[in-house]
Amino acid sequence: MESIFSENTILDSRLPGSLKQIANKVILGERILPEEGILLYEKGEIGFLSMLAEKVRVRLNDDKVFYIRNFHIEPTNICLNRCRFCSYSHHFSPNKWDLSLEEMLECVRNADNNIKELHITGAVHPEKDLYYYEDLLRKIKILRPDLHVKALSAVELDYIFKKAGINAQQGLKFLQAAGLDSIPGGGAEIFDDKIRNEICPTKASAESWMEIHETAHRMGITSNATMLYGHIENYKHRIKHMSFLRDSQDRYGGFNAFIPLKFKNSNNELSGIQESSVIEDMKNYAVARIFLDNFPHLKGYWPMIGKSFAQLSLSFGVDDMDGTINDSTRIYSLAGANEQNPQMTVSEMKTLIIEANRTPVERNSMYQTVTDQ
Ligand code: V47
Ligand code: SF4
C-alpha cells in the first residue's frame, strides 16, 4: 500500500527546490545522484523520506513483505581479526565457542522439515580451511538436500581461499560443488579504506569483498550486501558504500537484498559511541531504498533493531523481514541488541506484517513464493 500523501503534496509543499527536484526524479522512477543521496540524508525530514522510499518499494514489491523459515549456525567465535565494533569474537565475548562438525550436523538434524534456509556465518578461525567447510557443506546436504545453504561471508571466504592458494572463482566452484547455494552479506562494513583502517584494520579489504561477490554473481551464485552504520562514518561514506554496490549491481545483478546493520555499542572497543536514534535508523532505510534502485529487496533485520522497529521500517522502504530464525544467532545479542534470544513464530511474523497493512509472503531463498505450507 502506498503512502497517503499524493505526488502533488510533495510538489506543492514548501520543500527546498533541490529536494523537490529529487522528489520529482524518484516519482518518475529516475536514478538519483550520489550528491542527491547525501542531500536526502542531510535535509530530508523522515515523513518526506518515507513517502519517497515507499514509492520505490511499491514499484518493486507492491505491498508484499517477505519472510523465510530459516535458522543460523555460527560455527565459532574464535577470530584472527579484532574488529573494534565486534562484541561477538572471543576477544570480547565472555563465551568462547568452536562447534564440532557433529554439533553442527545435529543442529541440521533438529531443524524442522519446513525450514527452507540455513545461514552459516561466524568468525575467521585461524585453523579452519577450505576443506573443513567443504566437508561441512557436503554432510549438511546429505542430511537435507532440499535446504538452501547461504554460507560464509566474503571475509571468511577470502581467508580460506588465500590459505588454499586459490582464487575466488576456483574456491567458489569448489564450495558450490559441495553445496554452497548463496553468500550472506556480512563483512562489507563501510567501503572506505580510512574508516576500515580505523574500525577493522586487519579484515579483508573492500576490494576483496567485492571481488568475491562479483565472481559469485558471474557464476550465477547470488548474495546479499550489508552496511554497518552509526559508528564513525558520515553520510558521504554511506553513499560511497551504496554507490559501489549500485554500480556492481548494474554490472552483474547478483545481489538479492541490501541489509543496513545498525552499530550496537555493548562490549566492544567502540562502546563510547552513542547508538543511532530510531529517526536516524528509519532515515537510513529510506535513503537506502531510494538510492539502491536496482536492489530488489531491502531487509529490516529484526534481531538487530528489535521487532517493533523492524515493523516500523516497513513504512520506510523495507519489504523483507528476513526469517523466523530461532534463537540461533548471537552476533547481536552479544552486542546489546534488544532481542536476546531472537525467535519469531510464523504467526507472529504475519501479524507484524498485517498490522503494517502489508501482505505477508513466505519466500524461499530466491524470493519465490512458498505455497506448500
Ligand atoms: O559483518 C558485528 C555486523 C555482520 C556488530 O546476508 C555488528 O542475510 C552491529 O552479515 N553492531 C555479520 N553490527 C552479520 C551479517 C548478516 C546478518 C543478517 C543477515 C545477513 C544476510 C547477514 O554483523 C558483520 C558486522 O557488520 N556486526 N558486530 C555490532 N556491534
Ligand atoms: Fe572476527 Fe567478524 Fe568479529 Fe571482525 S566482525 S572480529 S571478522 S567475528
Side-chain angles (χ1 to χ4, degrees):
M1 186 182 286
E2 287 192 52
S3 165
I4 55 164
F5 297 104
S6 72
E7 291 163 17
N8 286 340
T9 316
I10 305 173
L11 302 177
D12 293 346
S13 67
R14 287 179 294 151
L15 281 173
S18 48
L19 287 186
K20 222 182 256 186
Q21 235 175 343
I22 299 173
N24 262 320
K25 275 183 152 181
V26 177
I27 290 163
L28 293 172
E30 290 172 15
R31 175 164 285 190
I32 67 164
L33 298 168
E35 51 271 31
E36 293 172 325
I38 295 167
L39 202 69
L40 286 180
Y41 270 127
E42 286 173 350
K43 300 266 190 285
E45 166 278 320
I46 63 159
F48 169 72
L49 293 177
S50 157
M51 183 163 46
L52 293 185
E54 290 293 276
K55 282 261 155 223
V56 181
R57 178 187 62 73
V58 170
R59 192 177 300 137
L60 293 168
N61 290 298
D62 200 4
D63 69 348
K64 296 187 192 116
V65 172
F66 297 94
Y67 67 93
I68 187 166
R69 293 179 206 237
N70 63 348
F71 72 112
H72 287 218
I73 293 180
E74 294 169 353
T76 181
N77 73 337
I78 299 172
C79 196
L80 55 71
N81 292 318
R82 194 187 166 112
C83 303
R84 295 182 65 212
F85 55 79
C86 176
S87 330
Y88 167 85
S89 80
H90 76 287
H91 302 293
F92 293 101
S93 164
N95 314 320
K96 187 169 170 176
W97 72 89
D98 185 13
L99 300 181
S100 68
L101 212 63
E102 192 40 47
E103 282 171 313
M104 290 190 267
L105 295 175
E106 194 54 22
C107 296
V108 176
R109 280 188 206 102
N110 289 336
D112 286 351
N113 277 339
N114 59 12
I115 289 185
K116 296 282 177 295
E117 181 184 89
L118 165 57
H119 176 143
I120 305 177
T121 194
V124 186
H125 192 298
E127 280 147 34
K128 301 279 160 36
D129 63 12
L130 181 71
Y131 308 100
Y132 173 83
Y133 287 112
E134 184 221 8
D135 192 30
L136 172 65
L137 291 168
R138 277 196 195 286
K139 288 181 171 148
I140 290 171
K141 286 289 176 161
I142 290 170
L143 289 174
R144 282 287 303 271
D146 60 308
L147 200 60
H148 178 108
V149 183
K150 178 177 72 172
L152 304 175
S153 72
V155 173
E156 293 159 278
L157 293 171
D158 182 65
Y159 177 70
I160 60 174
F161 293 166
K162 285 190 173 134
K163 194 168 174 173
I166 55 177
N167 64 28
Q169 192 179 357
Q170 292 164 325
L172 287 168
K173 216 168 149 194
F174 189 72
L175 293 180
Q176 188 179 30
L180 178 79
D181 294 307
S182 66
I183 301 175
E189 321 312 355
I190 283 280
F191 297 144
D192 177 87
D193 290 345
K194 235 170 128 189
I195 299 286
R196 273 186 115 68
N197 210 25
E198 282 286 317
I199 63 170
C200 51
T202 57
K203 194 168 218 163
S205 65
E207 288 71 29
S208 304
W209 188 98
M210 195 57 101
E211 203 214 323
I212 287 179
H213 282 259
E214 291 198 341
T215 304
H217 298 170
R218 284 196 296 269
M219 294 167 62
I221 301 173
T222 60
S223 71
N224 291 331
T226 56
M227 175 175 78
L228 181 71
Y229 73 94
H231 42 91
I232 59 165
E233 91 295 355
N234 61 32
Y235 291 147
K236 285 188 184 149
H237 296 122
R238 293 191 206 172
I239 290 291
K240 178 177 168 188
H241 184 91
M242 290 192 267
S243 295
F244 276 126
L245 292 172
R246 193 170 74 172
D247 292 349
S248 170
Q249 185 75 333
D250 280 344
R251 285 193 291 277
Y252 304 111
F255 288 113
N256 287 326
F258 181 63
I259 313 163
L261 295 174
K262 171 198 177 90
F263 166 65
K264 303 294 294 179
N265 69 4
S266 296
N267 310 317
N268 55 50
E269 281 184 13
L270 298 181
S271 287
I273 297 176
Q274 208 181 343
E275 288 180 10
S276 54
S277 66
V278 65
I279 297 238
E280 187 59 36
D281 296 336
M282 296 305 131
K283 195 183 217 187
N284 191 58
Y285 281 120
V287 176
R289 183 59 291 173
I290 295 163
F291 193 79
L292 291 173
D293 56 357
N294 55 2
F295 268 61
H297 304 286
L298 178 64
K299 196 181 276 195
Y301 191 55
W302 63 266
M304 177 190 62
I305 50 172
K307 292 172 187 173
S308 302
F309 288 152
Q311 186 184 40
L312 184 64
S313 75
L314 299 179
S315 294
F316 292 84
V318 167
D319 68 284
D320 181 5
M321 290 277 276
D322 196 79
T324 48
I325 312 190
N326 45 20
D327 57 354
S328 55
T329 176
R330 282 179 270 195
I331 293 183
Y332 300 103
S333 49
L334 291 172
N338 296 340
E339 304 295 340
Q340 285 300 306
N341 289 313
Q343 46 193 325
M344 172 127 62
T345 62
V346 167
S347 114
E348 199 183 349
M349 177 72 88
K350 282 182 172 166
T351 304
L352 284 180
I353 297 169
I354 291 166
E355 266 181 13
N357 273 345
R358 306 276 187 273
T359 305
V361 176
E362 182 175 347
R363 64 167 175 90
N364 65 16
S365 303
M366 304 317 292
Y367 289 82
Q368 290 158 330
T369 304
V370 171
T371 48
D372 60 346
Q373 299 304 319

PDB file of all heavy atoms in Angstrom, residues 178-204:
ATOM      1  N   ALA A 178      30.159 -28.598  -3.364  1.00  0.00           N
ATOM      2  CA  ALA A 178      29.908 -29.259  -2.075  1.00  0.00           C
ATOM      3  C   ALA A 178      28.540 -28.886  -1.502  1.00  0.00           C
ATOM      4  O   ALA A 178      28.068 -29.537  -0.564  1.00  0.00           O
ATOM      5  CB  ALA A 178      30.999 -28.878  -1.087  1.00  0.00           C
ATOM      6  N   GLY A 179      27.903 -27.823  -2.025  1.00  0.00           N
ATOM      7  CA  GLY A 179      26.564 -27.477  -1.516  1.00  0.00           C
ATOM      8  C   GLY A 179      26.333 -26.019  -1.175  1.00  0.00           C
ATOM      9  O   GLY A 179      25.273 -25.665  -0.655  1.00  0.00           O
ATOM     10  N   LEU A 180      27.313 -25.168  -1.452  1.00  0.00           N
ATOM     11  CA  LEU A 180      27.103 -23.733  -1.191  1.00  0.00           C
ATOM     12  C   LEU A 180      26.094 -23.181  -2.203  1.00  0.00           C
ATOM     13  O   LEU A 180      26.296 -23.299  -3.406  1.00  0.00           O
ATOM     14  CB  LEU A 180      28.431 -22.973  -1.334  1.00  0.00           C
ATOM     15  CG  LEU A 180      28.342 -21.462  -1.139  1.00  0.00           C
ATOM     16  CD1 LEU A 180      28.288 -21.104   0.337  1.00  0.00           C
ATOM     17  CD2 LEU A 180      29.531 -20.761  -1.787  1.00  0.00           C
ATOM     18  N   ASP A 181      25.010 -22.576  -1.715  1.00  0.00           N
ATOM     19  CA  ASP A 181      23.989 -22.068  -2.633  1.00  0.00           C
ATOM     20  C   ASP A 181      24.043 -20.564  -2.817  1.00  0.00           C
ATOM     21  O   ASP A 181      23.783 -20.052  -3.894  1.00  0.00           O
ATOM     22  CB  ASP A 181      22.600 -22.451  -2.117  1.00  0.00           C
ATOM     23  CG  ASP A 181      22.380 -23.956  -2.146  1.00  0.00           C
ATOM     24  OD1 ASP A 181      22.574 -24.558  -3.215  1.00  0.00           O
ATOM     25  OD2 ASP A 181      22.037 -24.531  -1.095  1.00  0.00           O
ATOM     26  N   SER A 182      24.332 -19.832  -1.738  1.00  0.00           N
ATOM     27  CA  SER A 182      24.449 -18.377  -1.882  1.00  0.00           C
ATOM     28  C   SER A 182      25.328 -17.850  -0.751  1.00  0.00           C
ATOM     29  O   SER A 182      25.736 -18.604   0.132  1.00  0.00           O
ATOM     30  CB  SER A 182      23.070 -17.698  -1.881  1.00  0.00           C
ATOM     31  OG  SER A 182      22.446 -17.850  -0.632  1.00  0.00           O
ATOM     32  N   ILE A 183      25.609 -16.544  -0.811  1.00  0.00           N
ATOM     33  CA  ILE A 183      26.576 -15.950   0.127  1.00  0.00           C
ATOM     34  C   ILE A 183      25.888 -14.853   0.950  1.00  0.00           C
ATOM     35  O   ILE A 183      25.221 -13.977   0.375  1.00  0.00           O
ATOM     36  CB  ILE A 183      27.767 -15.344  -0.661  1.00  0.00           C
ATOM     37  CG1 ILE A 183      28.446 -16.437  -1.484  1.00  0.00           C
ATOM     38  CG2 ILE A 183      28.776 -14.692   0.265  1.00  0.00           C
ATOM     39  CD1 ILE A 183      29.550 -15.903  -2.374  1.00  0.00           C
ATOM     40  N   PRO A 184      26.054 -14.880   2.253  1.00  0.00           N
ATOM     41  CA  PRO A 184      25.473 -13.802   3.065  1.00  0.00           C
ATOM     42  C   PRO A 184      26.235 -12.491   2.878  1.00  0.00           C
ATOM     43  O   PRO A 184      27.325 -12.469   2.301  1.00  0.00           O
ATOM     44  CB  PRO A 184      25.605 -14.332   4.498  1.00  0.00           C
ATOM     45  CG  PRO A 184      26.698 -15.331   4.472  1.00  0.00           C
ATOM     46  CD  PRO A 184      26.782 -15.882   3.065  1.00  0.00           C
ATOM     47  N   GLY A 185      25.668 -11.419   3.405  1.00  0.00           N
ATOM     48  CA  GLY A 185      26.204 -10.092   3.077  1.00  0.00           C
ATOM     49  C   GLY A 185      27.214  -9.522   4.046  1.00  0.00           C
ATOM     50  O   GLY A 185      27.637  -8.375   3.902  1.00  0.00           O
ATOM     51  N   GLY A 186      27.631 -10.313   5.031  1.00  0.00           N
ATOM     52  CA  GLY A 186      28.487  -9.774   6.097  1.00  0.00           C
ATOM     53  C   GLY A 186      29.876  -9.367   5.637  1.00  0.00           C
ATOM     54  O   GLY A 186      30.335  -9.750   4.560  1.00  0.00           O
ATOM     55  N   GLY A 187      30.509  -8.565   6.493  1.00  0.00           N
ATOM     56  CA  GLY A 187      31.905  -8.182   6.257  1.00  0.00           C
ATOM     57  C   GLY A 187      32.081  -6.963   5.392  1.00  0.00           C
ATOM     58  O   GLY A 187      33.202  -6.476   5.220  1.00  0.00           O
ATOM     59  N   ALA A 188      30.988  -6.412   4.860  1.00  0.00           N
ATOM     60  CA  ALA A 188      31.132  -5.249   3.974  1.00  0.00           C
ATOM     61  C   ALA A 188      31.492  -4.005   4.790  1.00  0.00           C
ATOM     62  O   ALA A 188      32.289  -3.175   4.351  1.00  0.00           O
ATOM     63  CB  ALA A 188      29.842  -5.031   3.194  1.00  0.00           C
ATOM     64  N   GLU A 189      30.880  -3.899   5.950  1.00  0.00           N
ATOM     65  CA  GLU A 189      31.079  -2.762   6.864  1.00  0.00           C
ATOM     66  C   GLU A 189      30.897  -1.456   6.105  1.00  0.00           C
ATOM     67  O   GLU A 189      29.817  -1.148   5.688  1.00  0.00           O
ATOM     68  CB  GLU A 189      32.443  -2.838   7.577  1.00  0.00           C
ATOM     69  CG  GLU A 189      32.887  -4.251   8.013  1.00  0.00           C
ATOM     70  CD  GLU A 189      31.846  -5.083   8.753  1.00  0.00           C
ATOM     71  OE1 GLU A 189      30.761  -4.609   9.053  1.00  0.00           O
ATOM     72  OE2 GLU A 189      32.130  -6.277   9.005  1.00  0.00           O
ATOM     73  N   ILE A 190      32.000  -0.705   5.875  1.00  0.00           N
ATOM     74  CA  ILE A 190      31.895   0.530   5.070  1.00  0.00           C
ATOM     75  C   ILE A 190      33.038   0.484   4.066  1.00  0.00           C
ATOM     76  O   ILE A 190      34.196   0.262   4.444  1.00  0.00           O
ATOM     77  CB  ILE A 190      31.998   1.780   5.975  1.00  0.00           C
ATOM     78  CG1 ILE A 190      30.693   2.041   6.735  1.00  0.00           C
ATOM     79  CG2 ILE A 190      32.400   3.015   5.188  1.00  0.00           C
ATOM     80  CD1 ILE A 190      29.573   2.734   5.959  1.00  0.00           C
ATOM     81  N   PHE A 191      32.691   0.663   2.800  1.00  0.00           N
ATOM     82  CA  PHE A 191      33.727   0.611   1.758  1.00  0.00           C
ATOM     83  C   PHE A 191      34.494   1.933   1.706  1.00  0.00           C
ATOM     84  O   PHE A 191      34.259   2.770   0.825  1.00  0.00           O
ATOM     85  CB  PHE A 191      33.106   0.321   0.392  1.00  0.00           C
ATOM     86  CG  PHE A 191      32.432  -1.017   0.287  1.00  0.00           C
ATOM     87  CD1 PHE A 191      31.277  -1.159  -0.470  1.00  0.00           C
ATOM     88  CD2 PHE A 191      32.933  -2.139   0.931  1.00  0.00           C
ATOM     89  CE1 PHE A 191      30.643  -2.386  -0.590  1.00  0.00           C
ATOM     90  CE2 PHE A 191      32.311  -3.376   0.820  1.00  0.00           C
ATOM     91  CZ  PHE A 191      31.154  -3.498   0.063  1.00  0.00           C
ATOM     92  N   ASP A 192      35.393   2.087   2.642  1.00  0.00           N
ATOM     93  CA  ASP A 192      36.257   3.271   2.644  1.00  0.00           C
ATOM     94  C   ASP A 192      37.508   2.879   3.429  1.00  0.00           C
ATOM     95  O   ASP A 192      37.404   2.488   4.609  1.00  0.00           O
ATOM     96  CB  ASP A 192      35.555   4.447   3.338  1.00  0.00           C
ATOM     97  CG  ASP A 192      36.456   5.667   3.407  1.00  0.00           C
ATOM     98  OD1 ASP A 192      36.460   6.458   2.450  1.00  0.00           O
ATOM     99  OD2 ASP A 192      37.184   5.812   4.412  1.00  0.00           O
ATOM    100  N   ASP A 193      38.661   2.979   2.786  1.00  0.00           N
ATOM    101  CA  ASP A 193      39.905   2.474   3.396  1.00  0.00           C
ATOM    102  C   ASP A 193      40.198   3.117   4.739  1.00  0.00           C
ATOM    103  O   ASP A 193      40.636   2.450   5.673  1.00  0.00           O
ATOM    104  CB  ASP A 193      41.087   2.689   2.449  1.00  0.00           C
ATOM    105  CG  ASP A 193      40.990   1.765   1.236  1.00  0.00           C
ATOM    106  OD1 ASP A 193      40.196   0.809   1.301  1.00  0.00           O
ATOM    107  OD2 ASP A 193      41.700   2.011   0.236  1.00  0.00           O
ATOM    108  N   LYS A 194      39.957   4.436   4.802  1.00  0.00           N
ATOM    109  CA  LYS A 194      40.299   5.148   6.038  1.00  0.00           C
ATOM    110  C   LYS A 194      39.434   4.658   7.212  1.00  0.00           C
ATOM    111  O   LYS A 194      39.934   4.391   8.303  1.00  0.00           O
ATOM    112  CB  LYS A 194      40.087   6.656   5.829  1.00  0.00           C
ATOM    113  CG  LYS A 194      41.334   7.461   6.158  1.00  0.00           C
ATOM    114  CD  LYS A 194      41.201   8.877   5.720  1.00  0.00           C
ATOM    115  CE  LYS A 194      41.523   9.782   6.901  1.00  0.00           C
ATOM    116  NZ  LYS A 194      41.205  11.173   6.623  1.00  0.00           N
ATOM    117  N   ILE A 195      38.143   4.542   6.947  1.00  0.00           N
ATOM    118  CA  ILE A 195      37.230   4.087   8.005  1.00  0.00           C
ATOM    119  C   ILE A 195      37.531   2.633   8.362  1.00  0.00           C
ATOM    120  O   ILE A 195      37.590   2.255   9.537  1.00  0.00           O
ATOM    121  CB  ILE A 195      35.746   4.226   7.556  1.00  0.00           C
ATOM    122  CG1 ILE A 195      35.399   5.680   7.253  1.00  0.00           C
ATOM    123  CG2 ILE A 195      34.797   3.636   8.585  1.00  0.00           C
ATOM    124  CD1 ILE A 195      35.252   6.558   8.459  1.00  0.00           C
ATOM    125  N   ARG A 196      37.745   1.819   7.344  1.00  0.00           N
ATOM    126  CA  ARG A 196      38.068   0.395   7.598  1.00  0.00           C
ATOM    127  C   ARG A 196      39.320   0.268   8.455  1.00  0.00           C
ATOM    128  O   ARG A 196      39.400  -0.562   9.337  1.00  0.00           O
ATOM    129  CB  ARG A 196      38.316  -0.327   6.266  1.00  0.00           C
ATOM    130  CG  ARG A 196      37.102  -0.877   5.604  1.00  0.00           C
ATOM    131  CD  ARG A 196      37.474  -1.699   4.377  1.00  0.00           C
ATOM    132  NE  ARG A 196      37.140  -3.114   4.522  1.00  0.00           N
ATOM    133  CZ  ARG A 196      35.923  -3.614   4.569  1.00  0.00           C
ATOM    134  NH1 ARG A 196      34.878  -2.817   4.511  1.00  0.00           N
ATOM    135  NH2 ARG A 196      35.720  -4.914   4.689  1.00  0.00           N
ATOM    136  N   ASN A 197      40.293   1.103   8.132  1.00  0.00           N
ATOM    137  CA  ASN A 197      41.542   1.078   8.872  1.00  0.00           C
ATOM    138  C   ASN A 197      41.332   1.407  10.351  1.00  0.00           C
ATOM    139  O   ASN A 197      42.021   0.905  11.219  1.00  0.00           O
ATOM    140  CB  ASN A 197      42.496   2.086   8.224  1.00  0.00           C
ATOM    141  CG  ASN A 197      43.908   1.634   8.405  1.00  0.00           C
ATOM    142  OD1 ASN A 197      44.158   0.432   8.576  1.00  0.00           O
ATOM    143  ND2 ASN A 197      44.830   2.572   8.426  1.00  0.00           N
ATOM    144  N   GLU A 198      40.350   2.237  10.616  1.00  0.00           N
ATOM    145  CA  GLU A 198      40.032   2.622  11.992  1.00  0.00           C
ATOM    146  C   GLU A 198      39.240   1.531  12.721  1.00  0.00           C
ATOM    147  O   GLU A 198      39.478   1.262  13.887  1.00  0.00           O
ATOM    148  CB  GLU A 198      39.164   3.889  11.999  1.00  0.00           C
ATOM    149  CG  GLU A 198      39.919   5.161  11.757  1.00  0.00           C
ATOM    150  CD  GLU A 198      40.747   5.552  12.981  1.00  0.00           C
ATOM    151  OE1 GLU A 198      40.225   5.445  14.093  1.00  0.00           O
ATOM    152  OE2 GLU A 198      41.912   5.933  12.791  1.00  0.00           O
ATOM    153  N   ILE A 199      38.261   0.937  12.012  1.00  0.00           N
ATOM    154  CA  ILE A 199      37.339   0.049  12.745  1.00  0.00           C
ATOM    155  C   ILE A 199      37.636  -1.442  12.568  1.00  0.00           C
ATOM    156  O   ILE A 199      37.243  -2.247  13.406  1.00  0.00           O
ATOM    157  CB  ILE A 199      35.848   0.334  12.398  1.00  0.00           C
ATOM    158  CG1 ILE A 199      35.544   0.057  10.909  1.00  0.00           C
ATOM    159  CG2 ILE A 199      35.457   1.763  12.772  1.00  0.00           C
ATOM    160  CD1 ILE A 199      34.042   0.092  10.587  1.00  0.00           C
ATOM    161  N   CYS A 200      38.299  -1.796  11.483  1.00  0.00           N
ATOM    162  CA  CYS A 200      38.586  -3.236  11.258  1.00  0.00           C
ATOM    163  C   CYS A 200      39.844  -3.371  10.402  1.00  0.00           C
ATOM    164  O   CYS A 200      39.783  -3.868   9.278  1.00  0.00           O
ATOM    165  CB  CYS A 200      37.393  -3.939  10.614  1.00  0.00           C
ATOM    166  SG  CYS A 200      36.729  -3.147   9.134  1.00  0.00           S
ATOM    167  N   PRO A 201      40.989  -2.942  10.966  1.00  0.00           N
ATOM    168  CA  PRO A 201      42.209  -2.809  10.160  1.00  0.00           C
ATOM    169  C   PRO A 201      42.712  -4.097   9.511  1.00  0.00           C
ATOM    170  O   PRO A 201      43.309  -4.039   8.437  1.00  0.00           O
ATOM    171  CB  PRO A 201      43.251  -2.281  11.167  1.00  0.00           C
ATOM    172  CG  PRO A 201      42.663  -2.474  12.521  1.00  0.00           C
ATOM    173  CD  PRO A 201      41.184  -2.525  12.355  1.00  0.00           C
ATOM    174  N   THR A 202      42.457  -5.261  10.123  1.00  0.00           N
ATOM    175  CA  THR A 202      43.046  -6.485   9.555  1.00  0.00           C
ATOM    176  C   THR A 202      42.062  -7.273   8.699  1.00  0.00           C
ATOM    177  O   THR A 202      42.400  -8.321   8.167  1.00  0.00           O
ATOM    178  CB  THR A 202      43.555  -7.406  10.685  1.00  0.00           C
ATOM    179  OG1 THR A 202      42.458  -7.698  11.557  1.00  0.00           O
ATOM    180  CG2 THR A 202      44.673  -6.743  11.485  1.00  0.00           C
ATOM    181  N   LYS A 203      40.855  -6.785   8.614  1.00  0.00           N
ATOM    182  CA  LYS A 203      39.814  -7.510   7.877  1.00  0.00           C
ATOM    183  C   LYS A 203      40.052  -7.446   6.368  1.00  0.00           C
ATOM    184  O   LYS A 203      40.702  -6.521   5.885  1.00  0.00           O
ATOM    185  CB  LYS A 203      38.478  -6.839   8.199  1.00  0.00           C
ATOM    186  CG  LYS A 203      37.274  -7.611   7.822  1.00  0.00           C
ATOM    187  CD  LYS A 203      36.058  -6.978   8.449  1.00  0.00           C
ATOM    188  CE  LYS A 203      35.122  -8.073   8.904  1.00  0.00           C
ATOM    189  NZ  LYS A 203      34.133  -7.621   9.856  1.00  0.00           N
ATOM    190  N   ALA A 204      39.508  -8.404   5.629  1.00  0.00           N
ATOM    191  CA  ALA A 204      39.590  -8.385   4.154  1.00  0.00           C
ATOM    192  C   ALA A 204      39.171  -7.002   3.647  1.00  0.00           C
ATOM    193  O   ALA A 204      38.239  -6.396   4.182  1.00  0.00           O
ATOM    194  CB  ALA A 204      38.670  -9.453   3.590  1.00  0.00           C
TER     195      ALA A 204
END
